[in-house]
Amino acid sequence: MLDLKKIKAHPKIFVGYSDLTSLLTYFTDAVGLVTFHGPMVAKDFAHSDGVDLASWESALNGSSEWTLDLDADVESLVEGSGEGILYGGCLSILVASLGTPYEIRTAGTILFIEDLAAKPYQIDRMLMQLKLAGKLAGVRGIIFGEMLDCAQNKDQGYTLEEVVVRVIGDLGVPVAYGLRSGHVSRGNITLPFGVQAALRVTAGEVKLEILEAATTTAVSSRSAG
């Protein structure tokens, strides 16, 4: 029921996460609109430490090149570097798109994946489904979110990071874990989907750089006013 021609002709800033992944990826895929995976008003802006303001401002004010300020909690799982279109969202919603007219388009992307309270065996199944569906074959890099409460139980003898490496560690692309965007404990980071980005993962550092502006000067001026 959405008028894509009108949305394309009058672009606005669409921002959110979780179930909104379906809209963010659809607008990016169908009309080439840059969308934003980031904080929502009731959940994040309602708290003093709910929003990462640096990424929010850089994403929305037309900054042409900027680097995300990733803290030490972001882990290096598979070393390497890659460039591609930043894209992704909530893993459950990404997988639910498969076989529908709104199926995600992941080729040539730096794929961001996050979820909340999904057990490791469910993450295993969903990642394997993406892999067997060919949706990971063309990615240039993968970076996971915080993956809050994604544990079987407190005494499980393995980590979710180990599950991730077992499933996708053979793709030959950099893989990192722990970027705070979407379902997060604090400081929700804004990620612009649909722009060129570079992911570099080494043993001691993870760097995600945004390589082009996500908004035009005119759009950012209106939003600032």
Side-chain angles (χ1 to χ4, degrees):
M1 297 176 66
L2 296 171
D3 188 337
L4 289 181
K5 291 183 178 179
K6 183 176 290 186
I7 290 172
K8 183 176 182 178
H10 305 282
K12 301 292 190 296
I13 292 171
F14 291 93
V15 57
Y17 58 93
S18 198
D19 288 353
L20 290 180
T21 293
S22 58
L23 291 181
L24 302 182
T25 55
Y26 180 49
F27 292 158
T28 299
D29 292 339
V31 298
L33 186 69
V34 174
T35 58
F36 301 88
H37 190 274
M40 294 193 286
V41 173
K43 179 64 172 64
D44 303 291
F45 279 99
H47 304 284
S48 59
D49 64 344
V51 179
D52 179 78
L53 291 177
S55 62
W56 172 263
E57 293 171 359
S58 294
L60 301 185
N61 71 6
S63 297
S64 57
E65 291 186 29
W66 49 284
T67 301
L68 283 150
D69 184 16
L70 303 180
D71 59 29
D73 293 333
V74 180
E75 303 175 52
S76 304
L77 298 187
V78 179
E79 294 184 47
S81 61
E83 292 189 13
I85 298 299
L86 190 58
Y87 184 85
C90 182
L91 177 59
S92 301
I93 306 302
L94 297 176
V95 170
S97 76
L98 299 181
T100 75
Y102 315 102
E103 185 169 310
I104 55 173
R105 304 175 188 176
T106 56
T109 66
I110 300 295
L111 185 61
F112 172 73
I113 293 173
E114 65 99 28
D115 216 318
L116 174 70
K119 297 184 186 304
Y121 74 85
Q122 295 172 317
I123 302 294
D124 185 321
R125 169 175 48 78
M126 289 187 284
L127 290 177
M128 188 60 75
Q129 186 174 357
L130 288 179
K131 188 176 185 179
L132 294 175
K135 293 301 176 180
L136 302 182
V139 301
R140 309 284 177 78
I142 301 174
I143 185 164
F144 285 80
E146 274 193 287
M147 310 300 285
L148 291 181
D149 298 325
C150 292
Q152 188 92 7
N153 58 63
K154 64 180 181 179
D155 299 319
Q156 69 185 34
Y158 54 88
T159 67
L160 181 55
E161 292 94 317
E162 290 172 331
V163 172
V164 166
V165 171
R166 182 181 61 78
V167 178
I168 65 173
D170 61 350
L171 295 177
V173 300
V175 181
Y177 184 103
L179 192 160
R180 296 190 326 271
S181 184
H183 299 97
V184 297
S185 57
R186 59 182 177 84
N188 206 330
I189 290 173
T190 304
L191 300 176
F193 288 170
V195 302
Q196 196 76 14
L199 176 64
R200 295 177 177 83
V201 180
T202 64
E205 183 182 38
V206 176
K207 181 177 288 187
L208 181 61
E209 298 176 277
I210 308 302
L211 303 178
E212 59 181 323
T215 60
T216 66
T217 302
V219 171
S220 61
S221 295
R222 285 199 298 271
S223 63

